[in-house]
Amino acid sequence: MNNTKAYSAAGATSPLASTKINRRDPTEHDVQIEILFCGVCHSDVHQVRNEWSSVMPTVYPIVPGHEMVGRVTRIGRAVAKYKPGDLAAVGCMVDSDGNCPHCQSGLEQFCPNMILTFNSPDRHLGGVTYGGYSETIVVDERFVLRVPPNLNLAGAAPLLCAGITTFSPMRRWGVTKGRKVGVVGLGGLGHMAVKFAHAFGAHVVVFTTSPGKKADALRLGADEVVVSRDANEMQKHTGSFDFILDAVSAHHDINAYINLVRPDGTITIVGAPEKPLAVSAFSLLIGRRNLSGSLIGGIKETQEMLDFCGKHNITADVEVIPIQKVNEAYERLLKADVKYRFSIDMASLKSE
Ligand code: NAP
Ligand code: ZN
């Protein structure tokens, strides 16, 4: 039965450890992929530790990972888009009903029957879905993406979540040349946001709690860097931003950033801290500011993002690690110590 090596956590306080899980044989429309690299998203950490229990409680054991690139090894009879040997990628979703209004408009992430890559009901095998910290995955071809061949694979994996999660809201809110754009939190998502905003031609300001990241922020494409604990520096930007993306994983004062948005400008939250954030009504009333959220992105837009990255040679800056170092990587994420995404080299799983 259990035919695939993986790493899983047995409980909210357990470390990830080697295990074996079951993957189905490809059905008609399925693609089987050997996973080469899988990014480590802070969402993996939140869910392994059951920090989102009020919204999506974690079912244990959990196999996290939703930023995969790999090679197609087998295909179902009806698969037309992929063949064995092709490069392929899988992100945060593996299925949806395909016919609800959201799916029809390319927003599968809002489909009431959407299945996440891990910790969602597995319609084929029962139990829950298992993610990318594993040797292989079997996915309906509708949820498989093409990887531009010029991209470094370890750096391409994080595009599947960190990439699309930052690309999508910036597209939606019109981040273009001449706009003043803020990025809060220079982690996995934040550093991708900087790269995209820069590529779109915006004037990019990074807000960080880590003074040591200043030089990197500029190298990644920021025009200015503000250490957010410096109230004077923050004050200088009051009411001036067209758009701010908040990609912070932990509790923080969001009003400090809302106040920096210009009248009718927008701040979008993509970070998903465990506890609710307190919003001052006045921060929104004054300047008629918009506060919004964004969740990953649909499949069509994810492919557009990957193609954009291929064209502009954009990948994540990664620290490649063997899977055996994943618990250490989680500890470092909690200390905001990542440059700027961990990408697991899945070849390391073979020795388990
Ligand atoms: P990450 O790599 O750990 O980066 C988070 C960054 O937030 C840190 O590098 C740090 O940046 C900043 N930060 C951390 N603790 C902070 C604190 N106490 N106060 C202020 N800033 C702090 O995480 P990630 O993978 O980018 O994910 C970020 C968040 O987005 C997570 O909550 C994740 O679950 C969520 N997420 C949401 C979606 C979605 O669809 N909406 C998709 C993926 C992830 P500085 O050092 O620069 O301050
Ligand atoms: Zn993610």
Side-chain angles (χ1 to χ4, degrees):
M1 265 303 261
N2 288 341
N3 52 18
T4 305
K5 290 179 183 175
Y7 256 54
S8 73
T13 55
S14 319
L16 289 149
S18 182
T19 187
K20 278 193 140 192
I21 56 169
N22 193 22
R23 293 293 193 198
R24 66 181 183 267
D25 281 330
T27 61
E28 249 193 323
H29 293 282
D30 280 340
V31 176
Q32 183 191 61
I33 296 165
E34 179 196 5
I35 303 166
L36 298 175
F37 291 95
C38 183
V40 177
C41 181
H42 207 114
S43 304
D44 299 349
V45 183
H46 289 307
Q47 290 194 73
V48 161
R49 299 183 179 202
N50 203 14
E51 288 173 1
W52 293 346
S53 57
S54 59
V55 185
M56 43 170 103
T58 303
V59 177
Y60 294 96
I62 178 174
V63 177
H66 57 203
E67 296 184 333
M68 287 160 257
V69 294
R71 243 177 232 290
V72 175
T73 42
R74 281 167 71 190
I75 55 168
R77 271 187 304 119
V79 171
K81 280 181 10 207
Y82 297 92
K83 57 179 191 316
D86 284 354
L87 279 178
V90 178
C92 303
M93 303 180 281
V94 290
D95 207 356
S96 71
D97 61 33
N99 47 38
C100 73
H102 305 297
C103 288
Q104 295 287 310
S105 51
L107 296 169
E108 296 88 352
Q109 70 271 35
F110 306 132
C111 168
N113 297 305
M114 184 267 284
I115 302 292
L116 289 164
T117 303
F118 62 86
N119 198 41
S120 262
D122 185 330
R123 292 208 194 95
H124 298 264
L125 299 175
V128 291
T129 50
Y130 292 137
Y133 296 8
S134 58
E135 290 178 300
T136 63
I137 191 163
V138 180
V139 180
D140 187 294
E141 69 170 324
R142 291 185 299 123
F143 287 83
V144 179
L145 294 131
R146 286 206 176 280
V147 185
N150 58 313
L151 296 183
N152 169 274
L153 293 184
L159 299 177
L160 277 297
C161 175
I164 184 60
T165 301
T166 53
F167 181 92
S168 181
M170 288 199 279
R171 273 287 165 93
R172 170 165 167 75
W173 293 102
V175 171
T176 49
K177 196 166 169 50
R179 296 291 159 122
K180 185 173 174 185
V181 170
V183 175
V184 188
L186 197 66
L189 266 58
H191 97 291
M192 288 311 309
V194 172
K195 290 188 183 207
F196 287 133
H198 177 73
F200 296 157
H203 179 88
V204 187
V205 183
V206 165
F207 294 93
T208 181
T209 59
S210 311
K213 292 181 181 174
K214 242 179 163 170
D216 282 343
L218 296 169
R219 175 181 57 77
L220 291 163
D223 298 285
E224 297 178 57
V225 186
V226 173
V227 175
S228 49
R229 305 208 201 274
D230 182 336
N232 261 343
E233 279 295 302
M234 293 288 284
Q235 186 90 44
K236 284 185 197 156
H237 292 274
T238 300
S240 67
F241 281 89
D242 295 293
F243 179 75
I244 295 180
L245 192 76
D246 181 340
V248 176
S249 54
H251 197 74
H252 60 291
D253 176 19
I254 192 173
N255 303 299
Y257 301 100
I258 298 176
N259 292 335
L260 305 187
V261 174
R262 69 157 164 80
D264 286 330
T266 297
I267 180 165
T268 296
I269 298 176
V270 286
E274 179 176 11
K275 302 228 163 66
L277 299 170
V279 174
S280 148
F282 283 99
S283 293
L284 293 174
L285 307 186
I286 298 167
R288 202 165 62 180
R289 298 164 170 130
N290 301 299
L291 170 64
S292 74
S294 193
L295 180 71
I296 51 175
I299 293 297
K300 181 165 171 280
E301 192 175 36
T302 303
Q303 189 62 63
E304 283 166 17
M305 179 275 308
L306 285 168
D307 295 344
F308 180 89
C309 289
K311 196 167 157 210
H312 297 269
N313 209 12
I314 292 174
T315 52
D317 283 28
V318 288
E319 289 187 54
V320 177
I321 56 163
I323 188 108
Q324 291 79 7
K325 293 245 183 202
V326 72
N327 293 304
E328 206 177 292
Y330 277 26
E331 291 306 321
R332 285 186 52 196
L333 280 182
L334 294 171
K335 291 187 278 188
D337 173 24
V338 54
K339 302 224 159 128
Y340 279 85
R341 195 61 142 187
F342 293 107
S343 184
I344 306 169
D345 180 352
M346 280 304 158
S348 59
L349 194 51
K350 293 191 201 304
S351 65
E352 292 285 344

